[in-house]
Amino acid sequence: MTAIRLLLVDDDPLVRAGLALMMGGAGDIEIVGEGADGDEVEALVDRTRPDVVLMDIRMPSVDGLTATERLRARADAPQVVVLTTFHADEQVLHALRAGAAGFVLKDTPPAEIVAAVRRVAAGDPVLSPAVTRQLMRHAAGTRADTRQARARDRLAALNDREREAADGGAPARAQPSVGEVGRGLANAEIATGLFMSVATVKTHVSRILAKLGLNNRVQIALLAYDSGLLEE
């Protein structure tokens, strides 16, 4: 099995050392480089070709938000997981909108950080359903009417089956919906509910991303909540 190529970016050398130590114990993860500031990220990515970048938000020269936005705007960009010390920081929402695949807290148990890197490399977000709901409620509570209107306009590009909210009693459908992705379900969970393979789910989710002009599942969830699609 090919190892997951991981780039670490954090201005604190002790944090980097700790991350390197915990990741070094995972046989399927290879640390291909380290950086201390966001202004180093693009050059490091060009040189090391990582699959995943684990990146701090707060750095002295170029912060992780700006670095994430620049990186995810590039073709064939690696996935980004941001590191934060806050559970519902507004900056985390900014990072997710910029294209990060999710976030982990710096005090998260090592095994969970390793699992997060594996999930992102496999195409799944690293936000648990509970954390996703918390973040999206925060986003929904601060959104303007114009943001909701723009989100609904974007969702109009989807067909009804791709867009529906998909509550637990909904009948089986032929494809995944924005609703299921927005609720934080992993590909395997969606596949089980729809009686299809994980590969087929990934194909359908990729089509939704392409239609919406987005680059990962977390941005689908943000758009769904902005539009009011998943309001309880």
Side-chain angles (χ1 to χ4, degrees):
M1 182 176 62
T2 303
I4 300 165
R5 298 174 62 82
L6 179 66
L7 173 65
L8 303 175
V9 184
D10 194 297
D11 64 326
D12 187 335
L14 291 178
V15 171
R16 291 201 309 275
L19 290 170
L21 182 63
M22 74 173 70
M23 296 298 172
D28 59 340
I29 297 176
E30 176 189 0
I31 298 172
V32 295
E34 297 184 17
D37 204 292
D39 62 356
E40 304 175 35
V41 171
E42 291 188 86
L44 282 169
V45 166
D46 288 339
R47 187 166 69 248
T48 63
R49 300 295 179 185
D51 300 306
V52 179
V53 179
L54 193 56
M55 179 146 50
D56 189 21
I57 286 184
R58 293 178 174 85
M59 291 183 284
S61 179
V62 174
D63 63 42
L65 303 178
T66 302
T68 296
E69 194 165 14
R70 290 175 181 174
L71 189 58
R72 293 299 299 169
R74 297 168 39 147
D76 300 323
Q79 296 293 342
V80 178
V81 179
V82 295
L83 290 164
T84 181
T85 55
F86 296 98
H87 206 273
D89 193 331
E90 183 68 28
Q91 289 183 313
V92 173
L93 289 168
H94 185 167
L96 300 181
R97 294 188 190 283
F103 76 94
V104 292
L105 301 177
K106 287 190 175 181
D107 60 357
T108 298
E112 293 183 23
I113 297 180
V114 172
V117 170
R118 289 174 176 148
R119 284 193 62 179
V120 167
D124 284 330
V126 300
L127 304 176
S128 70
V131 171
T132 300
R133 286 193 294 271
Q134 178 180 343
L135 280 170
M136 301 314 159
R137 286 195 193 101
H138 180 71
T142 59
R143 71 169 181 264
D145 290 341
T146 52
R147 179 182 291 173
Q148 184 181 68
R150 287 196 300 268
R152 289 179 175 179
D153 286 344
R154 294 186 73 177
L155 288 178
L158 305 179
N159 62 44
D160 290 341
R161 288 183 301 177
E162 291 169 330
R163 189 171 55 246
E164 69 177 87
D167 63 36
R173 289 168 289 102
Q175 60 196 74
S177 72
V178 163
E180 286 153 325
V181 177
R183 287 164 50 214
L185 299 181
N187 287 335
E189 294 173 301
I190 296 174
T192 298
L194 295 181
F195 305 101
M196 60 176 57
S197 70
V198 172
T200 301
V201 170
K202 288 182 178 180
T203 297
H204 283 301
V205 172
S206 294
R207 288 174 183 166
I208 291 174
L209 288 167
K211 284 186 177 183
L212 295 175
L214 302 175
N215 58 36
N216 65 41
R217 298 160 58 93
V218 178
Q219 288 184 327
I220 292 178
L222 286 164
L223 185 65
Y225 273 86
D226 277 350
S227 71
L229 178 67
L230 301 184
E231 287 181 351
E232 297 178 352

